[in-house]
Coordinates of all heavy atoms in Angstrom, one line a residue:
C1 N 0.8 -1.2 0.0 CA 0.0 0.0 0.0 C 0.8 1.3 0.0 O 0.5 2.3 0.6 CB -1.0 0.0 1.2 SG -2.1 -1.4 1.1
G2 N 2.0 1.2 -0.7 CA 2.9 2.4 -0.8 C 2.4 3.2 -2.0 O 1.4 2.9 -2.7
R3 N 3.2 4.2 -2.3 CA 2.9 4.9 -3.5 C 4.2 5.2 -4.3 O 5.3 5.3 -3.8 CB 2.2 6.2 -3.2 CG 3.0 7.2 -2.4 CD 2.1 8.4 -2.0 NE 2.9 9.4 -1.4 CZ 3.1 10.6 -1.9 NH1 2.6 11.0 -3.0 NH2 3.9 11.5 -1.3
V4 N 4.0 5.3 -5.6 CA 5.1 5.5 -6.5 C 5.4 7.0 -6.6 O 4.5 7.8 -6.6 CB 4.8 5.0 -7.9 CG1 5.9 5.3 -8.9 CG2 4.5 3.5 -7.8
L5 N 6.7 7.4 -6.6 CA 7.1 8.7 -6.7 C 7.9 8.9 -7.9 O 8.0 8.0 -8.7 CB 8.0 9.1 -5.4 CG 7.3 8.9 -4.1 CD1 8.3 9.1 -3.0 CD2 6.1 9.8 -3.9
E6 N 8.4 10.1 -8.1 CA 9.1 10.4 -9.4 C 10.5 10.9 -9.2 O 11.0 11.8 -9.9 CB 8.3 11.4 -10.2 CG 6.9 10.8 -10.6 CD 6.3 11.6 -11.7 OE1 6.9 12.4 -12.4 OE2 5.1 11.3 -11.9
Y7 N 11.2 10.4 -8.2 CA 12.6 10.7 -8.0 C 13.5 9.6 -8.7 O 13.1 8.5 -8.8 CB 13.0 10.8 -6.5 CG 12.1 11.7 -5.7 CD1 11.3 11.3 -4.7 CD2 12.3 13.1 -5.9 CE1 10.5 12.2 -4.0 CE2 11.5 14.0 -5.2 CZ 10.7 13.5 -4.2 OH 9.9 14.4 -3.4
G8 N 14.7 10.0 -9.0 CA 15.7 9.0 -9.6 C 15.1 8.2 -10.7 O 14.2 8.7 -11.5
D9 N 15.6 7.0 -10.9 CA 15.1 6.1 -12.0 C 13.8 5.4 -11.5 O 12.9 5.1 -12.4 CB 16.1 5.1 -12.4 CG 17.3 5.7 -13.1 OD1 17.1 6.7 -13.8 OD2 18.4 5.2 -12.9
C10 N 13.6 5.2 -10.2 CA 12.5 4.6 -9.7 C 12.4 5.0 -8.2 O 13.4 4.9 -7.5 CB 12.6 3.1 -9.9 SG 11.2 2.1 -9.3
S11 N 11.3 5.3 -7.7 CA 11.2 5.7 -6.3 C 9.8 5.4 -5.8 O 8.8 5.5 -6.5 CB 11.5 7.2 -6.1 OG 10.7 8.0 -6.8
V12 N 9.7 5.1 -4.5 CA 8.5 4.8 -3.8 C 8.5 5.3 -2.4 O 9.5 5.6 -1.8 CB 8.2 3.2 -3.8 CG1 8.1 2.7 -5.2 CG2 9.3 2.5 -3.0
E13 N 7.3 5.4 -1.8 CA 7.2 5.7 -0.4 C 6.4 4.6 0.3 O 5.3 4.2 -0.2 CB 6.4 7.1 -0.3 CG 6.2 7.5 1.2 CD 5.4 8.8 1.3 OE1 4.1 8.6 1.3 OE2 6.0 9.8 1.2
I14 N 6.9 4.1 1.3 CA 6.3 3.0 2.1 C 6.2 3.5 3.6 O 7.2 4.0 4.1 CB 7.2 1.8 2.1 CG1 7.5 1.3 0.7 CG2 6.5 0.7 2.9 CD1 6.5 0.6 0.0
D15 N 5.1 3.3 4.2 CA 5.0 3.6 5.6 C 5.7 2.5 6.4 O 5.2 1.4 6.4 CB 3.6 3.8 6.1 CG 3.0 5.1 5.7 OD1 3.7 6.1 5.5 OD2 1.7 5.2 5.6
A16 N 6.7 2.8 7.2 CA 7.3 1.9 8.1 C 6.4 1.7 9.2 O 6.1 0.5 9.6 CB 8.7 2.4 8.6
L17 N 5.9 2.7 9.7 CA 4.8 2.8 10.7 C 3.9 4.0 10.3 O 4.4 4.9 9.6 CB 5.3 2.9 12.2 CG 6.1 1.8 12.7 CD1 6.8 2.2 14.0 CD2 5.2 0.6 13.0
L18 N 2.7 4.0 10.8 CA 1.8 5.1 10.4 C 2.5 6.4 10.9 O 2.8 6.6 12.0 CB 0.5 4.9 11.1 CG -0.6 5.9 10.8 CD1 -0.9 5.9 9.3 CD2 -1.9 5.7 11.6
G19 N 2.6 7.3 9.9 CA 3.2 8.6 10.2 C 4.8 8.6 10.0 O 5.4 9.7 10.2
I20 N 5.3 7.5 9.7 CA 6.8 7.4 9.4 C 7.0 6.8 8.1 O 7.3 5.6 7.9 CB 7.5 6.5 10.5 CG1 7.2 7.1 11.9 CG2 9.0 6.6 10.2 CD1 7.9 6.3 13.0
P21 N 6.8 7.6 7.0 CA 7.0 7.2 5.7 C 8.5 7.1 5.3 O 9.3 8.0 5.8 CB 6.3 8.2 4.8 CG 6.4 9.5 5.6 CD 6.4 9.0 7.1
L22 N 8.9 6.1 4.6 CA 10.3 6.0 4.1 C 10.2 6.2 2.6 O 9.4 5.6 1.9 CB 10.9 4.6 4.4 CG 11.0 4.2 5.8 CD1 11.6 2.9 5.9 CD2 11.7 5.2 6.6
T23 N 11.1 7.0 2.0 CA 11.2 7.2 0.6 C 12.4 6.5 0.1 O 13.6 6.8 0.5 CB 11.3 8.7 0.3 OG1 10.1 9.4 0.8 CG2 11.4 9.0 -1.2
F24 N 12.2 5.6 -0.8 CA 13.3 4.8 -1.4 C 13.5 5.3 -2.8 O 12.6 5.3 -3.6 CB 12.9 3.3 -1.4 CG 12.8 2.6 -0.1 CD1 11.7 2.6 0.6 CD2 14.0 2.0 0.5 CE1 11.6 2.0 1.9 CE2 13.9 1.4 1.7 CZ 12.7 1.4 2.4
I25 N 14.7 5.7 -3.1 CA 15.0 6.2 -4.4 C 16.1 5.3 -5.0 O 17.2 5.1 -4.4 CB 15.5 7.7 -4.4 CG1 14.5 8.6 -3.7 CG2 15.8 8.2 -5.8 CD1 15.0 10.0 -3.4
L26 N 15.9 4.8 -6.2 CA 16.8 3.9 -6.9 C 17.3 4.5 -8.2 O 16.6 5.1 -9.0 CB 16.1 2.6 -7.2 CG 16.9 1.5 -7.8 CD1 18.0 1.0 -6.9 CD2 15.9 0.3 -8.2
W27 N 18.6 4.4 -8.4 CA 19.3 4.8 -9.6 C 19.9 3.5 -10.2 O 20.7 2.9 -9.5 CB 20.4 5.9 -9.5 CG 19.8 7.2 -9.1 CD1 19.4 8.2 -10.0 CD2 19.6 7.7 -7.8 NE1 18.9 9.3 -9.3 CE2 19.1 9.0 -7.9 CE3 19.9 7.2 -6.5 CZ2 18.8 9.8 -6.8 CZ3 19.6 8.0 -5.4 CH2 19.0 9.3 -5.6
V28 N 19.5 3.2 -11.4 CA 19.9 1.9 -12.0 C 21.1 2.2 -12.9 O 21.2 3.2 -13.6 CB 18.8 1.3 -12.9 CG1 19.2 0.0 -13.5 CG2 17.5 1.1 -12.1

């Protein structure tokens, strides 16, 4: 239930806990 973002080559936001989102940015 995360969401796709538009950073880097691929990026997403996942809630580690409610109110603590982590943004993962990947460069391939």
Side-chain angles (χ1 to χ4, degrees):
C1 300
R3 65 186 187 112
V4 177
L5 302 174
E6 297 197 15
Y7 302 114
D9 292 326
C10 184
S11 58
V12 299
E13 179 183 89
I14 307 280
D15 280 337
L17 292 169
L18 185 61
I20 305 179
L22 301 181
T23 299
F24 292 89
I25 305 170
L26 181 64
W27 290 274
V28 181

